[in-house]
Amino acid sequence: METIKLSQLITWLEKTAKYMQENKEYLTELDSAIGDADHGFNMERGFNKVIGKIEELKQSEDAAALLKGTGMTLISSIGGASGPLYGTFFLQASMVLKGNKELTLEDLKASFENGLKGVKSRGRASLGEKTMIDVLEPVVASLVTSTEKGLTINEALENIVNVAETGMKSTINMLATKGRASYLGERSVGHQDPGATSSCLILKALKESIN
Ligand code: ADP
Ligand code: MG
């Protein structure tokens, strides 16, 4: 059975950190239009902390411990709304995995499904409110479909990257009704959501780590 190995999950975290460094200015620029210009800084700081702990994380017994360690690090190191939300995603994603040394597509689906559930219950945002949910929810739906169709992990990851990009772009025309961007009301329309953009980068990093 085709699986995602722990070493590939480590590569995912490293690649994500690299993406956050490379896109720090871009994410901050997006956040300056509809927020407080700190999203790039927040994401870079959070994933740099994860990388600071990478040797410790590499010792994780299983995928649950790895994702839990990542979530805890993000919660404790990123300020702003996104830290607790991404932290919750990784933490909740870890909760449904029990002793997995590697993940099947079914495991990844179950894990992301629970991660999304956590973000939604913590942030109380739903689809169409111009947040990271506009990427994460279609991604989970795509994973469900891919699992049902019996696609390979690579095919499923290719699909989630496409769906994530579409979700990210869909936020441009949305009116923000959650988070800091909601203070702008109608003026939030016409700008891409920073959190949806960082989510898209995280998913791209995942795909590239598995190929
Ligand atoms: P802050 O808004 O506190 O400055 P960041 O700038 O780091 O935090 O993150 C902003 C991003 O967080 C937004 O672009 C949005 O995607 C996401 N976000 C904000 N509030 C919520 C929420 N309630 N649910 C889901 N995502 C949210
Ligand atoms: Mg901000």
Side-chain angles (χ1 to χ4, degrees), residues 27-131:
L27 293 172
T28 291
E29 198 181 295
L30 292 173
D31 197 31
S32 76
I34 57 168
D36 56 352
D38 65 352
H39 191 59
F41 173 79
N42 287 340
M43 295 306 290
E44 189 208 26
R45 180 183 153 89
F47 279 92
N48 276 348
K49 290 271 181 192
V50 170
I51 294 311
K53 289 198 172 171
I54 206 78
E55 290 309 318
E56 199 181 307
L57 290 169
K58 279 182 186 168
Q59 307 303 316
S60 303
E61 284 236 314
D62 52 34
L66 175 61
L67 296 179
K68 184 174 174 198
T70 303
M72 301 295 277
T73 306
L74 293 177
I75 290 177
S76 63
S77 62
I78 315 186
S82 57
L85 292 168
Y86 278 123
T88 299
F89 181 83
F90 281 91
L91 201 56
Q92 289 302 316
S94 81
M95 298 295 185
V96 290
L97 301 171
K98 298 222 159 43
N100 297 65
K101 300 274 187 206
E102 48 199 343
L103 305 184
T104 61
L105 183 57
E106 179 81 35
D107 293 329
L108 184 73
K109 180 210 78 175
S111 170
F112 276 26
E113 209 163 33
N114 209 51
L116 169 68
K117 210 169 123 193
V119 177
K120 288 183 82 171
S121 85
R122 177 138 197 172
R124 311 225 160 269
S126 43
L127 202 65
E129 294 195 280
K130 203 180 183 88
T131 70

